[in-house]
């Protein structure tokens, strides 16, 4: 299962949003990957998410495989849509 979401918070996915994203992804049993600018990472890895350096306006592709794939994608999309509670 795959979906795309745009980063809309001003500062992008810096340290705090990356930690929030990893915490959210870790709640699900599915394998979750995020692809951005040709790089695909494990969404449950803080180093991987930080490495993306996704700025505001970046389009992230969320790829999930497992029993709760749909819920995991929706959960991550909701977190990003909330602007990581920054604004």
């Amino acid at each position: 299962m795959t979906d795309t979401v745009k980063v809309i918070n001003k500062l992008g996915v810096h340290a705090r949003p990356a930690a929030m994203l990893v915490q959210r992804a870790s709640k699900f049993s599915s394998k979750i990957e995020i692809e951005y600018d040709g790089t695909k990472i494990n969404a449950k890895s803080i180093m991987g998410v930080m490495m993306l350096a996704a700025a505001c306006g970046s389009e992230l592709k969320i790829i999930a495989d497992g029993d709760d794939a749909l819920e995991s994608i929706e959960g991550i999309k909701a977190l990003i849509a909330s602007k990581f509670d920054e604004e």
Side-chain angles (χ1 to χ4, degrees), residues 55-67:
C56 182
S58 301
E59 291 217 2
L60 305 179
K61 184 176 183 180
I62 306 167
I63 306 146
D65 184 28
D67 291 338

Side-chain angles (χ1 to χ4, degrees), residues 1-83:
M1 182 162 276
T2 301
D3 205 345
T4 302
V5 63
K6 184 180 278 190
V7 175
I8 57 172
N9 61 314
K10 286 183 189 175
L11 300 176
V13 185
H14 58 86
R16 194 178 70 77
M20 293 173 74
L21 196 152
V22 169
Q23 286 178 341
R24 180 70 55 98
S26 296
K27 292 181 179 179
F28 300 99
S29 63
S30 293
K31 176 181 178 185
I32 307 168
E33 296 176 312
I34 297 177
E35 185 174 334
Y36 171 64
D37 201 24
T39 301
K40 188 186 294 185
I41 57 91
N42 177 352
K44 298 177 183 179
S45 163
I46 187 73
M47 293 303 291
V49 175
M50 291 288 297
M51 188 178 70
L52 291 177
C56 182
S58 301
E59 291 217 2
L60 305 179
K61 184 176 183 180
I62 306 167
I63 306 146
D65 184 28
D67 291 338
D68 55 2
L70 177 61
E71 293 86 357
S72 66
I73 288 176
E74 292 302 321
I76 291 170
K77 286 177 63 179
L79 178 64
I80 293 172
S82 76
K83 299 181 181 178

